[in-house]
Amino acid sequence: MTTMPGLSYALSEESAIHHLITLPLPDSADLFELADACAAFVCVLVETDDAETHATLCERLQHALNRLRTLCDTELPPHLIAQLIEGERVTSYVPDCWQETALQVDYALALTRAIQGRTLPPNVAKDLTGLLHDMVWLLAEFVKEPYITAH
């Protein structure tokens, strides 16, 4: 890997965060793309201490989760079905009681709203942000788990 002279790690990180919070999600984003975007948001959210960045990431995450929730109630497009068929079926890491994608999204949305409210003690907010991170990552992996059997 090569590095660019004069480009510091902090500047690169700052640029990546700026890109993440300013780049709009395409209207055409599918279930997988939205799940990946949510995972990217929480990955940065769990690491940020800046109040403004935190608030912006929570807003972006809530927007993406709401769009993801809408897609939970629609038919999967053929290209996603093909990806779900192609993969080798694996045992899910998601407990049986959470096998409903919409339920997982609803839980993540509730956590996001709780964190956004900024009424929690800092240690509770930090713990819930960590829980949100783990739930969204689990959700992002879950929606891409091969589960459809080819006919």
Side-chain angles (χ1 to χ4, degrees):
M1 181 169 112
T2 61
T3 58
M4 298 174 69
L7 186 62
S8 72
Y9 177 76
L11 185 58
S12 297
E13 182 179 331
E14 208 172 273
S15 177
I17 292 171
H18 176 76
H19 178 77
L20 184 64
I21 62 177
T22 59
L23 187 67
L25 287 171
D27 290 336
S28 62
D30 64 32
L31 187 74
F32 290 8
E33 292 166 330
L34 287 170
D36 287 342
C38 290
F41 294 141
V42 296
C43 191
V44 175
L45 182 65
V46 79
E47 295 293 329
T48 191
D49 292 323
D50 178 67
E52 185 177 326
T53 302
H54 189 275
T56 302
L57 286 167
C58 281
E59 288 173 23
R60 297 284 314 226
L61 177 60
Q62 185 171 11
H63 175 71
L65 285 168
N66 280 321
R67 286 185 54 194
L68 186 65
R69 179 62 175 90
T70 301
L71 290 180
C72 289
D73 297 329
T74 62
E75 293 284 325
L76 287 173
H79 72 280
L80 294 185
I81 291 172
Q83 289 180 36
L84 293 172
I85 291 172
E86 289 174 3
E88 182 179 325
R89 189 174 169 104
V90 295
T91 303
S92 180
Y93 290 107
V94 175
D96 290 340
C97 61
W98 287 2
Q99 289 291 316
E100 178 69 34
T101 304
L103 179 65
Q104 292 183 52
V105 174
D106 289 344
Y107 287 162
L109 277 166
L111 282 170
T112 303
R113 285 190 296 271
I115 294 164
Q116 268 182 311
R118 294 220 171 263
T119 58
L120 301 168
N123 61 330
V124 174
K126 182 177 180 173
D127 289 346
L128 289 181
T129 302
L131 176 61
L132 176 62
H133 171 272
D134 294 350
M135 285 198 69
V136 170
W137 268 97
L138 189 63
L139 170 64
E141 292 300 313
F142 176 73
V143 299
K144 295 182 264 183
E145 286 179 0
Y147 68 94
I148 301 174
T149 307
H151 296 24

